[in-house]
Amino acid sequence: MNKVLVITIGLLLSSQVFADSAFDQGLVRINAVDANYVYKDMTLVNDFFKTAEDNFASTLPIKVNILVENTAVVTTPFYSRFDYRLTLALPADELAEMKQWLSSTGNLKNLCIKSFYPAKYMQANNHKLVYSYRDIDDKAIADVTLTTETCKKAISTTS
């Protein structure tokens, strides 16, 4: 794997940690979830996510590092999407390799462990979390989707 690709992948991983405990804590603080993090007051929940999305939007686009920028965030009670774009042109073979790696079970497992499972509200409310990656020309590289089911399947896979 090319050195630039290795660096890019490492930096992409470092940028993917979702604000799981902050969201869990915020939802508890405003009394919008029960003890199991299931939504109990959708008005409060919707307001919470709208505020969070507005806060994210006010900072975007933001360079995660010299090779990657976060260009968009959508977050609702049942769906979140984080869009990342490379700021460096990569050859087609490296983009293909990157796509393969981003779509791999190993990457999915890692994201489930670091982003999905720590967020109690996601599991409790069948939340769907998507990380979308695009190249410098804004062409899709890969979308990685995390749900309770995709994470269970990835974690149970022995690869």
Side-chain angles (χ1 to χ4, degrees), residues 50-69:
K50 175 67 173 130
T51 300
E53 185 171 343
D54 289 347
N55 288 340
F56 279 123
S58 70
T59 66
L60 299 175
I62 187 169
K63 287 207 179 267
V64 174
N65 54 56
I66 137 176
L67 302 173
V68 179
E69 65 182 356

Side-chain angles (χ1 to χ4, degrees), residues 21-96:
S21 63
F23 274 52
D24 284 343
Q25 292 169 10
L27 290 164
V28 168
R29 187 173 38 255
I30 64 171
N31 201 28
V33 294
D34 66 17
N36 295 315
Y37 293 89
V38 174
Y39 301 142
K40 66 180 189 178
D41 183 331
M42 286 310 296
T43 300
L44 290 174
V45 170
N46 285 324
D47 289 346
F48 178 85
F49 279 90
K50 175 67 173 130
T51 300
E53 185 171 343
D54 289 347
N55 288 340
F56 279 123
S58 70
T59 66
L60 299 175
I62 187 169
K63 287 207 179 267
V64 174
N65 54 56
I66 137 176
L67 302 173
V68 179
E69 65 182 356
N70 182 198
T71 58
V73 175
V74 173
T75 185
T76 72
F78 300 101
Y79 176 83
S80 295
R81 181 182 178 101
F82 290 77
D83 292 353
Y84 296 97
R85 184 175 58 207
L86 298 179
T87 59
L88 175 71
L90 294 178
D93 62 326
E94 290 182 19
L95 284 173

Side-chain angles (χ1 to χ4, degrees), residues 3-24:
K3 182 178 178 178
V4 171
L5 183 57
V6 171
I7 292 168
T8 302
I9 289 171
L11 295 172
L12 281 171
L13 270 180
S14 69
S15 70
Q16 294 174 333
V17 179
F18 193 75
D20 47 58
S21 63
F23 274 52
D24 284 343

